[in-house]
Amino acid sequence: PTDYVQNFLVGVQRALPGGLLVDTSYVYTRGTNLNFATNINQAPIGSLGCTGYNCGNPNPIFTAIAGQNYIGWSNYNALQVRLQKQLSYGVSFQVNYAFSRSLDTGTGNGHGSGLDIYQNAYSPAANYGLSNFNSTHTLAGQIVYEVPFGAGRTFALHGLVDQVLGGWRISSVFQWHSGVPFTPIIQSSVADAVDPGLAPSLSNGSTLYPEVVGNPNLANPTLGHWFDTAAFANPAYGTFGNAGRNILVGPGFSNVDISLGKTFLLHWEGIRLDIRADAYDAFNHINFANPDANVGYTSGGALADPTAGTITGPAGYNSNRRIIQMGARVTF
């Protein structure tokens, strides 16, 4: 079947004094017949504990069979608020906030894409959880401030003083959102011993989830101890784990870019010189990646991965941190 999406939005706008506009909306989106791309030759639950070459596979001739199954779905609900101010007294801004929740049976990239992660190849409902990109709180916006000094502004300046001090503008783009989810998993080195019948599928797309035996969420998580690994255990031999997909949430993200610029009107008619300096990640803030989520235990009862539950570095898009650039443009 063809996948399709239904959208619903209801919004209320209100103009306020001072050039302000408030826009509040409720947004709902539902996806139907989404791809649940899995290995349809995965061993069923009753065969996970078997041993031997491809012993649990419904068709033992093949290690894996990729299936494009359009039986998945998604839901998105959000309260969105926008506050916008038209330029007056040298200030304009727009701030957007969203309180949202996105769930799906697997996060993909389009009609024929695969899934981010799954355990049971035959049950979309068992994989239903937070979308990979879900952030409960999102705040983003921009602000522009034109200093009140200079020709044509509140406090007029002339000549050389205007050229040096007048006409500057400061602008900023900022964003902040709460963390995105991740899934605790039993790494393949441990999972092969727990569910030998699952071994072919573990090498071809599926993942074994752990057993939840406690509360993994910490009141004050740190980079070295983001969640409680003791809250998870290996599933019993020949079974799936009862943990869900994307049940934990990583650190939040924040970024502020700042720009400083000025326009010079040259003596020749119609010629302008714009100069500006931009600072990306102006406060040099580190945004950290999600922690190591391998929570499998060895036969001796120790964590197989000593860095489990630990955040080991920044997110990939934040590896450069602060970047400053300067530029000039002549317009004629």
Side-chain angles (χ1 to χ4, degrees):
T2 301
D3 53 330
Y4 65 95
V5 176
Q6 297 165 282
N7 296 293
F8 173 81
L9 181 148
V10 57
V12 177
Q13 293 182 340
R14 174 71 174 177
L16 300 175
L20 290 173
L21 172 70
V22 176
D23 182 359
T24 303
S25 302
Y26 166 69
V27 180
Y28 172 76
T29 302
R30 177 175 176 82
T32 304
N33 294 341
L34 304 184
N35 193 6
F36 189 65
T38 61
N39 169 26
I40 58 175
N41 202 33
Q42 182 190 75
I45 295 177
S47 300
L48 296 181
C50 71
T51 58
Y53 180 74
N54 289 355
C55 65
N57 292 5
N59 188 332
I61 297 175
F62 298 101
T63 300
I65 300 173
Q68 304 288 322
N69 308 297
Y70 290 89
I71 54 176
W73 64 91
S74 67
N75 290 284
Y76 174 78
N77 289 272
L79 171 66
Q80 300 178 353
V81 180
R82 174 170 61 99
L83 177 64
Q84 182 174 334
K85 181 184 183 301
Q86 297 178 351
L87 180 65
S88 62
Y89 300 101
V91 178
S92 67
F93 62 80
Q94 178 173 303
V95 179
N96 302 277
Y97 169 74
F99 175 63
S100 64
R101 186 175 178 86
S102 179
L103 302 110
D104 56 35
T105 53
T107 304
N109 297 315
H111 185 77
S113 67
L115 300 181
D116 55 319
I117 193 172
Y118 69 88
Q119 178 177 235
N120 188 339
Y122 307 109
S123 177
N127 214 49
Y128 186 64
L130 293 174
S131 303
N132 270 14
F133 51 82
N134 179 78
S135 291
T136 303
H137 304 281
T138 301
L139 178 71
Q142 61 183 18
I143 183 170
V144 177
Y145 174 62
E146 295 183 347
V147 298
F149 306 102
R153 299 191 178 181
T154 305
F155 303 100
L157 299 176
H158 305 283
L160 182 60
V161 176
D162 181 45
Q163 295 293 325
V164 176
L165 301 178
W168 291 97
R169 62 185 176 277
I170 303 171
S171 59
S172 177
V173 176
F174 57 89
Q175 59 175 312
W176 170 86
H177 64 72
S178 52
V180 294
F182 63 96
T183 306
I185 65 171
I186 303 295
Q187 57 269 48
S188 58
S189 60
V190 177
D192 286 345
V194 174
D195 291 334
L198 191 62
S201 191
L202 290 173
S203 301
N204 292 275
S206 65
T207 304
L208 183 62
Y209 296 168
E211 196 77 7
V212 180
V213 295
N215 181 8
N217 297 297
L218 300 175
N220 298 292
T222 64
L223 297 181
H225 193 202
W226 191 259
F227 64 90
D228 186 4
T229 55
F232 300 103
N234 294 347
Y237 184 85
T239 67
F240 281 136
N242 65 0
R245 168 177 158 267
N246 281 343
I247 60 173
L248 298 177
V249 176
F253 171 91
S254 63
N255 182 73
V256 177
D257 301 333
I258 297 177
S259 177
L260 176 66
K262 174 178 169 61
T263 299
F264 294 90
L265 297 177
L266 302 183
H267 292 293
W268 300 281
E269 182 178 358
I271 299 179
R272 299 191 315 170
L273 172 64
D274 293 293
I275 63 170
R276 61 183 293 164
D278 302 304
Y280 301 97
D281 189 12
F283 299 110
N284 215 31
H285 173 74
I286 301 176
N287 291 298
F288 288 97
N290 283 345
D292 184 340
N294 294 317
V295 295
Y297 286 83
T298 66
S299 57
L303 279 169
D305 186 345
T307 63
T310 301
I311 294 176
T312 58
Y317 48 77
N318 193 231
S319 57
N320 292 325
R321 300 178 65 183
R322 181 193 292 136
I323 298 174
I324 299 176
Q325 69 178 25
M326 300 181 67
R329 181 179 64 184
V330 176
T331 306
F332 58 91

